[in-house]
Amino acid sequence: ERPPAIRSLDARPGSDIFVIGTSRCELWEVDSEPSMLVAGHVADLAAVDAHPRSPELFMTAAEGERAYLWDASERRLRGVTERLSGERIQCLAFQPPAGKVV
């Protein structure tokens, strides 16, 4: 079986740890011992971004109109945005230094 394609990638601020979204709806934390953080999306992960000041938090978006806030330390969903713009989210980012999503 072929490995999943990488659809999104971000580095945790101040570290050498990466967070990767795949074509199999998985989110992986990649360090010396890669591990799956969550498998909660129903479509390819289109975007991922690590919080600029809280390394355990990150946002994801799949091929939909919502963004999802995850907690890596607890491996759980912490929140979901309201439906956005009526179009698919292709990218997202926290707005430093406030940590707001743009």
Side-chain angles (χ1 to χ4, degrees):
E1 182 177 344
R2 294 178 57 177
I6 294 173
R7 299 287 189 220
S8 55
L9 168 74
D10 193 32
R12 292 218 174 144
S15 76
D16 57 356
I17 299 172
F18 290 88
V19 179
I20 295 173
T22 75
S23 60
R24 290 192 187 144
C25 311
E26 303 163 337
L27 192 67
W28 286 80
E29 181 177 67
V30 180
D31 55 11
S32 61
E33 296 182 27
S35 63
M36 187 185 319
L37 292 174
V38 293
H41 282 283
V42 295
D44 289 359
L45 280 158
V48 63
D49 191 44
H51 192 281
R53 289 178 294 168
S54 299
E56 74 281 2
L57 299 179
F58 55 92
M59 293 286 293
T60 63
E63 297 177 0
E65 301 171 1
R66 297 177 192 256
Y68 301 84
L69 178 64
W70 300 93
D71 185 323
S73 65
E74 297 179 12
R75 296 180 186 256
R76 71 176 184 94
L77 181 64
R78 297 239 343 233
V80 180
T81 64
E82 297 290 326
R83 287 191 183 270
L84 303 176
S85 75
E87 298 185 25
R88 294 184 341 185
I89 298 173
Q90 298 295 316
C91 62
L92 57 80
F94 283 101
Q95 177 186 6
K100 295 180 180 177
V101 177
V102 293

